[in-house]
Amino acid sequence: MDSEDLRKRVELAKTLSQRAGAYLLERFGAVSRVSYKGSVDLVTEADETAEGLIRAGVSEHFPEDRILAEETGASGDASGEWCWVIDPLDGTTNFVHGVRRFAVSVGLTHLGQPVGGVIYDPSHGETYHARLGDGAWCNGQKLQVSARRQLGESLLVTGFPYNRGECATELTAVVARALEQARGLRRFGAACLDLVDVARGVLDGYWEPRLCPWDMAAGVVIVREAGGTVSRYGGREFDLNSPDLIASNGLIHSALSAMVDGDGETR
């Protein structure tokens, strides 16, 4: 992989995510159409328009690249080296209900591996980005995960899938263990921003099942480049096409993984 090729794509991802985010702010509080992809999985015209803005920019500058986007799916040559993994509005339910916890997420993969990412939080004007080997940054400030070593001193965050009614017992069992073992637990409803908060050391660990590639592609690079660790459940190697994720500052990772798995380990 040519580092300059990655740099150019990350710079474009910044521009496009900010452009999409500006549009989202214009539509915030003024959504006129909400439809359902599932019983509680919302989609608005804002999701679709923001995704279209990003798609158009990618197609103009890197027409040979593949795109995988939440609302419109995959396009381009599946055998190509580069893929843009796009969530135009992570936190749609928050957005619809007037909660300022939503973001634009644009991940970049090379030969299937996450190597770059941009997450733009339009409500706060914060652009998070990372490139493989170049650290993680927010508006020019370098990000670093926290230094907490004990699960009992850690503030955790989790998320619930849209089909949570089908797995409520599984979800609440892990939540109960977190309430017993950690300092605190939060649930905010935007996976990419949860990953950002781990990367910047505000939160110490995050887990969530049944995610999609666009939920994770940008955020995992930002966490790793900030010094953190990402894996699948059970400590298995992270795979963008597998739905479960654990992210942490690295120091509590084994204990967090044990807590999620319920094996009784509390170190």
Side-chain angles (χ1 to χ4, degrees):
M1 180 186 66
D2 188 304
S3 61
E4 182 62 13
D5 287 345
L6 175 57
R7 187 194 67 79
K8 290 178 180 178
R9 285 170 170 82
V10 169
E11 289 303 309
L12 179 60
K14 288 183 193 177
T15 299
L16 296 177
S17 63
Q18 291 166 0
R19 187 179 302 167
Y23 167 76
L24 293 177
L25 274 186
E26 291 176 0
R27 299 302 302 158
F28 186 69
V31 174
S32 60
R33 177 176 59 81
V34 179
S35 56
Y36 290 82
K37 294 184 286 184
S39 60
V40 294
D41 190 359
L42 307 180
V43 61
T44 73
E45 75 273 13
D47 299 70
E48 295 165 346
T49 301
E51 184 167 297
L53 289 171
I54 300 170
R55 270 189 171 274
V58 174
S59 297
E60 177 184 356
H61 293 276
F62 296 100
E64 71 279 12
D65 289 1
R66 185 169 182 257
I67 296 174
L68 175 63
E70 179 176 12
E71 307 305 337
T72 52
S75 63
D77 184 0
S79 64
E81 291 186 14
W82 292 96
C83 182
W84 297 66
V85 188
I86 301 165
D87 190 340
L89 175 50
D90 189 9
T92 300
T93 301
N94 288 346
F95 183 83
V96 168
H97 285 267
V99 178
R100 290 184 178 272
R101 178 80 175 184
F102 59 90
V104 181
S105 179
V106 181
L108 288 155
T109 68
H110 184 261
L111 299 178
Q113 297 302 310
V115 294
V118 173
I119 294 170
Y120 179 56
D121 177 353
S123 295
H124 299 93
E126 293 173 336
T127 303
Y128 299 88
H129 81 275
R131 303 195 309 265
L132 188 65
D134 190 53
W137 305 83
C138 176
N139 295 357
Q141 298 296 313
K142 193 167 187 180
L143 303 179
Q144 180 66 43
V145 296
S146 72
R148 293 184 182 88
R149 296 179 173 274
Q150 301 298 323
L151 192 62
E153 299 174 351
S154 299
L155 183 59
L156 308 179
V157 65
T158 190
F160 303 142
Y162 287 114
N163 63 343
R164 55 188 174 267
E166 302 171 9
C167 55
T169 300
E170 168 195 336
L171 296 172
T172 55
V174 186
V175 166
R177 291 194 292 273
L179 295 176
E180 293 169 353
Q181 298 180 33
R183 173 170 287 167
L185 176 64
R186 303 291 184 263
R187 195 268 179 173
F188 296 121
C192 72
L193 291 178
D194 293 340
L195 286 165
V196 156
D197 282 345
V198 172
R200 65 193 186 103
V202 172
L203 301 172
D204 306 296
Y206 162 66
W207 82 93
E208 187 166 350
R210 308 191 187 194
L211 292 167
C212 295
W214 46 79
D215 298 315
M216 304 180 281
V220 297
V221 182
I222 294 172
V223 170
R224 283 170 166 168
E225 289 298 312
T229 300
V230 297
S231 74
R232 295 187 62 197
Y233 284 15
R236 291 171 292 174
E237 183 178 359
F238 174 76
D239 181 347
L240 190 59
N241 295 308
S242 296
D244 52 274
L245 173 67
I246 298 176
S248 79
N249 64 3
L251 300 172
I252 66 163
H253 203 83
S254 61
L256 178 59
S257 180
M259 185 206 79
V260 170
D261 292 338
D263 67 6
E265 192 172 343
T266 58
R267 63 179 178 274

